Amino acid sequence: MVLLKHFILTTCCLCKASSFTPTLSTLWSKLLTRRHFVLTTSSFSLLLPSALSHSVCPSSSITAKTSSFDIAKTSSLPASKHSTDMSLQTGYLNARDAAALDAELMSTPGFSLEQLMELAGLAVAEAVYLVGGEGGGGGRKKRVLLVCGPGNNGGDGLVAARHLVHFGFDATIVYPKPSSKPHFVNLVKQCEDMNIPVLLAMPSEVDAEQNKYDIIVDAIFGFSFDSTSKIREPFATVISKMIQLQKNQNATLISVDVPSGWDVDGGDLTGLNFHPDVLISLTAPKMSAKKFLGRHFVGGRFLPPVIAEKYGVQMPLYPGVSQVMEVR
């Protein structure tokens, strides 16, 4: 209260007498009844409605202005600044619920597959950008190798490749088993129109050495993978080569939603020794994310509250207009 009185007295002294005549008691009563008046003593931030600031000092060169910068900046800090593992607060989805949630999102009326894939792919691209930065050594563009499977996880990777080129990266796609579905065919065409190379196999050791990749994006299986069955070719070889690139080129390995070959609920049960550096969980972390120890992002800012509540998912407080948030 003392600080508030001091502020009012200071404001009155700054205003010209000819344009400001209300008594202190009148101003005091008005301030107490203003719903949007906020006094933040912890950061000494004073927020007054713009209407009040203009009525108090309409002709003064020094006015009390509404400013939410300090508080907004504080509230938009990534959750990882406040907690070592915010994914514990978002909740986890098992394989069954992840599939059911996905189906419910695309029920009629609802989202289309194309909408969800575009939003998810954009989130993946943003997370890659945050991890990789803007440029490589010698002023060159960062090189990203996106390895895409035939399903929706691969579609997310195709979308991400297009956005990454717009973000200033040099992208290459590996697409061993292209889907014949019209939307996937369109996604490939969009990437080709952006001059993104689309390969059917992993680069040879010679090619990989000549074009060192800074980042590898694993967008092969996602939560649809059945860990009870053996990983079939060509993907067994593809995963093995991703591990080699991660080790030999010190490339950052990023997995989309679930590391390929991992059990959605139990993690790396097959002993592949496939351990990405970064995980981007889409919609919400899956149970296997509990076994992941690297950097962890949640992306896909599209989950309706009613569905989130049904599946026990607490959406993170995404900062600003970001589509992703680092939770660990």
Side-chain angles (χ1 to χ4, degrees):
M1 283 303 214
V2 174
L3 181 59
L4 180 58
K5 288 181 180 179
H6 177 70
F7 174 76
I8 295 170
L9 290 173
T10 304
T11 305
C12 293
C13 293
L14 290 172
C15 298
K16 292 183 179 179
S18 60
S19 60
F20 178 70
T21 57
T23 63
L24 179 59
S25 60
T26 302
L27 177 59
W28 179 266
S29 63
K30 285 185 177 182
L31 286 173
L32 291 180
T33 57
R34 298 306 288 243
R35 293 175 59 190
H36 302 295
F37 181 81
V38 180
L39 175 62
T40 308
T41 56
S42 60
S43 62
F44 296 98
S45 299
L46 291 169
L47 308 182
L48 290 173
S50 58
L52 179 61
S53 67
H54 290 304
S55 64
V56 170
C57 304
S59 62
S60 173
S61 60
I62 304 177
T63 59
K65 296 181 179 179
T66 301
S67 173
S68 58
F69 176 77
D70 291 333
I71 289 180
K73 183 170 66 173
T74 302
S75 62
S76 64
L77 285 174
S80 57
K81 299 293 184 180
H82 305 295
S83 171
T84 55
D85 191 356
M86 278 294 293
S87 56
L88 295 174
Q89 299 179 29
T90 63
Y92 294 86
L93 291 172
N94 59 35
R96 182 186 61 189
D97 286 345
L101 186 152
D102 216 40
E104 191 162 345
L105 279 173
M106 291 185 286
S107 62
T108 303
F111 287 91
S112 67
L113 173 64
E114 292 80 4
Q115 278 182 295
L116 291 178
M117 200 168 285
E118 189 67 27
L119 290 168
L122 176 60
V124 170
E126 185 177 333
V128 172
Y129 178 86
L130 291 174
V131 170
E134 294 187 354
R140 67 172 177 83
K141 294 181 178 180
K142 285 283 183 77
R143 295 192 181 99
V144 184
L145 184 69
L146 298 102
V147 186
C148 302
N152 293 348
N153 199 260
D156 297 340
L158 294 173
V159 172
R162 170 164 42 84
H163 286 294
L164 284 168
V165 171
H166 285 299
F167 292 171
F169 286 73
D170 186 353
T172 298
I173 294 170
V174 175
Y175 200 25
K177 293 184 68 175
S179 172
S180 60
K181 295 179 180 178
H183 180 57
F184 290 84
V185 173
N186 290 340
L187 290 177
V188 171
K189 179 62 166 60
Q190 293 165 14
C191 290
E192 290 173 342
D193 288 345
M194 295 290 296
N195 296 317
I196 301 173
V198 181
L199 312 178
L200 294 176
M202 289 289 286
S204 66
E205 291 186 13
V206 175
D207 290 338
E209 187 63 29
Q210 292 177 346
N211 300 289
K212 289 190 175 181
Y213 296 100
D214 302 286
I215 298 170
I216 306 163
V217 176
D218 157 37
I220 299 177
F221 294 135
F223 68 78
S224 62
F225 177 71
D226 181 7
S227 63
T228 61
S229 60
K230 186 177 180 181
I231 300 176
R232 299 177 182 177
E233 294 295 349
F235 296 111
T237 298
V238 166
I239 292 174
S240 176
K241 288 191 174 182
M242 283 196 292
I243 296 173
Q244 291 177 15
L245 287 175
Q246 180 189 26
K247 293 180 178 179
N248 298 340
Q249 295 194 4
N250 198 30
T252 301
L253 180 56
I254 302 176
S255 282
V256 176
D257 213 16
V258 178
S260 290
W262 279 32
D263 181 81
V264 180
D265 294 336
D268 184 18
L269 302 181
T270 58
L272 283 173
N273 200 28
F274 183 67
H275 298 290
D277 303 292
V278 181
L279 175 64
I280 307 169
S281 294
L282 296 175
T283 308
K286 312 307 179 286
M287 293 296 291
S288 56
K290 292 182 178 182
K291 305 291 181 66
F292 180 74
L293 302 178
R295 293 182 69 179
H296 187 192
F297 291 81
V298 173
R301 193 175 182 174
F302 48 73
L303 190 62
V306 63
I307 296 182
E309 183 177 354
K310 179 177 179 179
Y311 290 93
V313 174
Q314 177 64 49
M315 296 303 293
L317 298 175
Y318 290 98
V321 297
S322 181
Q323 300 300 305
V324 295
M325 181 172 181
E326 187 168 8
V327 293
R328 184 177 63 235

